[in-house]
Amino acid sequence: MDVITHRAIEYLLLPPGGLILLGFLGLLYWRFGYGRRVFVFALLLLWVTSLPITADLLAQGLEIHPALSEERLAESHPEAIIVLGGGRNLDAPEYGGDTVSARELERLRYAAKLARQTGLPVIPSGGTPIYFGEPEAKIAARILHPAG
């Protein structure tokens, strides 16, 4: 399966694509009673999932680890700092091409802070470009080490 087909299926099935498909299904069966209910249900679910409070409630389950303290850092004896990719902004004219997303920039900033504290190397990770261009890891490394 090629990348474009894979991404199209991904965007159709993952939120909000699945809810939009459900809404279209409701429109398709509008003249039957259940079609209207499916459409209204899809719209209501789309609205609820777009609320910031819903995002916060869903993220709480993922954010179970506290911020890394200097004591925990000293106890764990790490050998490197790995920065997970967080997305790219394609063709950002102010940067002369692709750059990392705001979320990944926050991660890089925190990794740079930890690297200054510990002297550990920072290893950015992330990805195969969706269609073309540099992988996220190379862009992140260029941001961390602009001269290199």
Short mmCIF file of all heavy atoms in Angstrom, two decimals, residues 70 80 128:
data_model
loop_
_atom_site.label_atom_id
_atom_site.label_comp_id
_atom_site.label_asym_id
_atom_site.label_seq_id
_atom_site.Cartn_x
_atom_site.Cartn_y
_atom_site.Cartn_z
N GLU A 70 15.79 16.67 39.38
CA GLU A 70 17.24 16.43 39.35
C GLU A 70 17.62 15.19 40.17
O GLU A 70 18.56 14.48 39.82
CB GLU A 70 17.98 17.67 39.87
CG GLU A 70 17.89 18.82 38.89
CD GLU A 70 18.76 19.99 39.29
OE1 GLU A 70 19.84 19.78 39.89
OE2 GLU A 70 18.36 21.12 39.01
N ALA A 80 21.67 8.85 27.55
CA ALA A 80 21.33 9.78 26.47
C ALA A 80 19.92 10.32 26.69
O ALA A 80 19.15 9.76 27.47
CB ALA A 80 21.42 9.10 25.12
N THR A 128 10.01 9.25 9.04
CA THR A 128 9.99 9.19 7.59
C THR A 128 9.08 10.31 7.11
O THR A 128 7.96 10.43 7.58
CB THR A 128 9.41 7.85 7.12
OG1 THR A 128 10.16 6.83 7.74
CG2 THR A 128 9.47 7.72 5.63
#
